[in-house]
Amino acid sequence: MQQDIPARQAAATTGERPVRTVRPRRYLMCAPVHFDVVYSINPWMEPEKPTDTELAVAQWERLRSLYLGLGHQVELIDPIPGLPDMVFAANGATVVDGKVLASRFRHAQRVDEGPAYATWFRDRGYEVFDGAHINEGEGDYLVTGDRILAGTGFRTDRRSHAEAERFLGRPVVTLDLIDPRFYHLDTALAVLDHEEVMYYPGAFSAESRRTLRELYPDAILATEEDAAVFGLNAVSDGRHVLLPEQASHLIDALWSRGFVPIGVDLSELLKSGGSSKCCTLEIRDRVPGASA
């Protein structure tokens, strides 16, 4: 994709484009040193296909290096043997204003990841809440503007949305996922900046599509081809958007909106159903001086 970017950038500069501002972020990541596909809990996982852990680590390291090069902080949690999906840090928790909603995983193979991430935050003095219902962290909770978009249908129990709203102190909007390929919200929708998002309509119920149209009438709409290569499992810092390099329609649309797309290759991790966002948990600390 790198050779295509200059041409796309030149084309996008014909006409007025919004000026985008980077907002420095703090991320938590987990190296995939134990990555493998030894079970199947989503349509992307095929244990009979070989995986290359060394390649997975190299691809992950490039993603981490990109974050650091863009001026963001990256914290690391120690990977635990026997938890091959722990690399998908976004599922580990949801952090808003320095408060941590701990994850509770639906599938037994991932249950131990929740306490591992909760312990990491508790050891660093964060307020951590253990809810009563299944929630899979930022896989299904995405913060945009002053609200939280919350997915349900395959993993996160919709009853956890009320828990999240009470504990995190922001209104939660429930969105129903209907396509098993897009089993987490972060595979079907990406937050770009404040009140700007991009999403694949086909992943959502008719009612949720209406909700999204009302809330985000100017959203970028992904094609099925974009979604199928995990183009929506993207990370934005308000200007740069890191996403799979195969999502060509989204890349063009992002350029036209003033964003700077950066193509990444996480093909090994995609074998387990994850890409850039899955690997990246945002730590949103309370801004000094902010009101409670």
Side-chain angles (χ1 to χ4, degrees):
M1 191 204 74
Q2 297 297 327
Q3 67 270 25
D4 294 335
I5 281 181
R8 286 174 173 153
Q9 185 173 17
T13 56
T14 61
E16 189 173 348
R17 301 165 69 234
V19 176
R20 302 293 179 178
T21 302
V22 173
R23 289 185 291 115
R25 310 299 178 101
R26 184 169 171 235
Y27 297 130
L28 179 61
M29 301 182 72
C30 181
V33 295
H34 304 300
F35 176 73
D36 200 355
V37 180
V38 294
Y39 51 79
S40 180
I41 58 174
N42 68 55
W44 306 94
M45 303 178 80
E46 300 180 64
E48 65 275 12
K49 290 187 177 180
T51 56
D52 185 335
T53 303
E54 184 176 344
L55 178 57
V57 171
Q59 292 175 343
W60 177 91
E61 285 285 3
R62 180 174 182 269
L63 178 64
R64 175 173 172 264
S65 295
L66 284 169
Y67 289 146
L68 294 172
L70 293 171
H72 304 303
Q73 298 181 54
V74 178
E75 306 282 352
L76 298 176
I77 184 173
D78 292 333
I80 297 175
L83 297 179
D85 282 343
M86 194 171 169
V87 58
F88 300 127
N91 304 153
T94 306
V95 188
V96 177
D97 297 329
K99 297 192 293 185
V100 180
L101 176 63
S103 293
R104 293 172 61 90
F105 285 85
R106 179 166 298 279
H107 294 288
Q109 295 92 331
R110 300 195 67 183
V111 164
D112 289 340
E113 295 178 42
Y117 278 93
T119 296
W120 190 93
F121 282 104
R122 285 195 174 97
D123 287 349
R124 286 153 182 80
Y126 285 85
E127 178 186 1
V128 179
F129 175 72
D130 294 297
H133 303 291
I134 298 295
N135 89 80
E136 299 204 351
E138 281 196 338
D140 276 321
Y141 285 121
L142 297 178
V143 179
T144 171
D146 293 325
R147 69 174 65 92
I148 299 172
L149 302 179
T152 189
F154 297 103
R155 297 294 184 86
T156 294
D157 189 321
R158 69 174 58 242
R159 291 174 295 179
S160 76
H161 296 179
E163 293 180 331
E165 186 167 273
R166 288 193 299 269
F167 176 67
L168 298 175
R170 297 198 186 186
V172 169
V173 177
T174 294
L175 298 171
D176 290 296
L177 298 164
I178 60 171
D179 187 328
R181 294 175 298 169
F182 311 112
Y183 54 93
H184 276 150
L185 182 61
D186 70 355
T187 67
L189 184 149
V191 176
L192 297 173
D193 191 25
H194 297 297
E195 294 293 342
E196 294 183 79
V197 305
M198 57 184 184
Y199 66 94
Y200 170 51
F204 297 93
S205 68
E207 182 178 354
S208 293
R209 290 197 298 272
R210 286 193 294 271
T211 298
L212 288 168
R213 285 196 299 269
E214 291 172 3
L215 292 176
Y216 309 106
D218 296 323
I220 294 174
L221 301 184
T223 65
E224 184 173 4
E225 290 75 19
D226 290 325
V229 295
F230 268 46
L232 292 163
N233 197 243
V235 177
S236 174
D237 62 12
R239 183 168 188 265
H240 309 97
V241 182
L242 284 69
L243 74 168
E245 53 194 13
Q246 297 89 351
S248 57
H249 168 263
L250 284 180
I251 287 169
D252 289 338
L254 288 164
W255 276 121
S256 72
R257 299 288 184 98
F259 293 99
V260 179
I262 299 174
V264 295
D265 178 8
L266 292 168
S267 56
E268 281 304 299
L269 297 177
L270 184 56
K271 293 177 180 178
S272 197
S275 191
S276 304
K277 176 55 190 168
C278 285
C279 294
T280 311
L281 172 60
E282 184 168 350
I283 303 175
R284 302 177 186 84
D285 290 315
R286 179 177 293 279
V287 177
S291 59

